[in-house]
Amino acid sequence: MTRTAQSARNPNDVPITREALVPGAIRDVFDFVAAEDVLPKILTGYGLVPGISHTSDITGPWDQPGPRRIVHLLDGSTVREGVTHYDRSHYFAYRVSDPSFALKHLMVEAKGEFWFEETDAGAQVRWTYTLRAKNRLPKLPLRLFVGTQWTGCMDVCMTNVIAHFDALRSAGVPQPALDATALPQT
């Protein structure tokens, strides 16, 4: 996984981007990553970032913009999350707000964005997470948090996504062809 430079949209934004090649068909990878129930499976925690235990109070179908929910972390804290964009197999975005933990003193909100690109080897997934600091003063400690903790959490998450598809393949679960060139010639 590599960190990709991302220009900030707002002077108080602290963006981080991670990328990974996931060994699965693009629709399957998208559906897994954007699924309503995926968070406890992939956001298992890292360092000071607790894993996700569950979600609650979902206001609608998670496969369209608009629905919101409460995300519960293993330490008992919560954040609100809502789908802002949903373009199946290509782009999924969400907004995170109202943290009940220490970041509430540093950030206003965060935006997560996933882009999916089909390749011969699977789905190339790019995940950008942008935390918006309350102002310039808390931006420095927020950057420190992102560089030391959130980056590792994102890496663990992407590793868990890859492991899910590796486990399916190892278990012999039939996977759709990645593209037309992967189909057997008759």
Side-chain angles (χ1 to χ4, degrees), residues 26-27 29-31 34 62-65 83-94 114-117:
I26 192 168
R27 280 194 150 209
V29 173
F30 179 93
D31 289 348
W62 206 246
D63 61 354
Q64 61 189 7
V83 177
T84 59
H85 294 87
Y86 191 97
D87 181 8
R88 187 167 186 227
S89 300
H90 303 290
Y91 179 68
F92 174 73
Y94 55 97
F114 281 94
W115 290 267
F116 301 81
E117 184 178 322

Side-chain angles (χ1 to χ4, degrees), residues 66-94:
R68 294 175 312 281
R69 65 185 175 187
I70 296 175
V71 177
H72 299 265
L73 288 73
L74 290 170
D75 68 354
S77 60
T78 61
V79 297
R80 293 191 185 280
E81 182 181 61
V83 177
T84 59
H85 294 87
Y86 191 97
D87 181 8
R88 187 167 186 227
S89 300
H90 303 290
Y91 179 68
F92 174 73
Y94 55 97

Side-chain angles (χ1 to χ4, degrees), residues 105-143:
H105 302 293
L106 302 177
M107 66 175 259
V108 176
E109 66 180 9
K111 180 178 183 180
E113 300 173 276
F114 281 94
W115 290 267
F116 301 81
E117 184 178 322
E118 188 169 15
T119 73
D120 290 341
Q124 183 69 31
V125 179
R126 182 170 42 121
W127 179 20
T128 296
Y129 200 86
T130 304
L131 293 96
R132 180 160 293 164
K134 286 191 170 195
N135 55 51
R136 289 187 349 205
L137 185 60
K139 185 174 179 182
L140 182 60
L142 190 60
R143 270 195 162 165

Side-chain angles (χ1 to χ4, degrees), residues 1-5 16-23 33 42-44 46 114 123-128 149-164 166:
M1 286 173 248
T2 60
R3 183 176 178 169
T4 305
I16 182 76
T17 298
R18 311 310 280 171
E19 293 188 42
L21 179 63
V22 180
V33 168
I42 61 174
L43 284 170
T44 55
Y46 174 85
F114 281 94
Q124 183 69 31
V125 179
R126 182 170 42 121
W127 179 20
T128 296
Q149 301 299 308
W150 190 247
T151 299
C153 183
M154 289 175 74
D155 287 344
V156 166
C157 179
M158 293 293 251
T159 298
N160 288 339
V161 171
I162 293 167
H164 170 80
D166 282 343

